[in-house]
Amino acid sequence: VVTRVFAAYLTLMRKVQTTYWLEPAGSHGVWGLDDYQMLPFLFGSSQLIGHHEIKPTSIHDHNLLSSYAEQYMYLGCVQFVKEVKKGPLQETSPMLNDISGVQEWEKVNGGMMKMYQAEVLSKFPIMQHFLFGS
């Protein structure tokens, strides 16, 4: 389900984001993973657990990203961030750059799970600019 349905949803959302340059709600700027999504990083890091060739440091290899971004969600996310944010990754996305220093995907995934818990599940939803009633 994740690699097909969610990946298709992600492609559509990226198209909308880059077509209309929507302002993300609750963005952490350069201190966040991605201004729009977090789940793809969580799903993508779990997809790479146990991979013998692709390591977290592989996000700095342009050829590897180009070759595997369609196959592995995490790499696709990093590639998208690099496309929409101009400049070196360590300046535009220092958190992603720091995560690349982790040795194993299991630890990256565990960190993503903790971050998702803290940044998404533990927050109260806020709805702005939505009209209720007549």
Side-chain angles (χ1 to χ4, degrees):
V1 173
V2 171
T3 57
R4 290 195 181 151
V5 176
F6 189 78
Y9 163 79
L10 191 58
T11 301
L12 174 64
M13 289 300 98
R14 287 178 180 161
K15 181 79 171 164
V16 170
Q17 291 155 12
T18 56
T19 300
Y20 299 105
W21 291 106
L22 300 174
E23 182 180 332
S27 172
H28 292 291
V30 300
W31 303 109
L33 283 176
D34 181 332
D35 289 338
Y36 300 98
Q37 294 104 1
M38 176 152 187
L39 274 178
F41 288 94
L42 176 63
F43 295 151
S45 61
S46 64
Q47 187 182 21
L48 288 163
I49 290 175
H51 200 287
H52 298 292
E53 295 172 28
I54 301 173
K55 301 293 180 194
T57 58
S58 299
I59 67 167
H60 300 290
D61 183 338
H62 177 73
N63 292 331
L64 190 134
L65 275 181
S66 298
S67 299
Y68 293 106
E70 301 252 341
Q71 208 173 344
Y72 296 102
M73 195 174 287
Y74 191 92
L75 301 180
C77 291
V78 173
Q79 185 179 47
F80 181 71
V81 168
K82 286 184 169 188
E83 288 171 2
V84 297
K85 293 184 176 185
K86 303 302 176 204
L89 191 66
Q90 60 267 28
E91 291 177 12
T92 62
S93 299
M95 184 180 287
L96 276 177
N97 189 61
D98 291 347
I99 291 168
S100 73
V102 176
Q103 297 298 312
E104 300 294 329
W105 286 111
E106 290 88 351
K107 289 185 97 172
V108 172
N109 186 254
M112 292 292 167
M113 187 65 87
K114 289 176 186 173
M115 189 183 310
Y116 187 72
Q117 173 69 37
E119 296 295 327
V120 179
L121 298 178
S122 294
K123 306 279 178 164
F124 290 106
I126 298 171
M127 189 179 296
Q128 294 178 327
H129 314 295
F130 193 80
L131 299 176
F132 289 94
S134 56

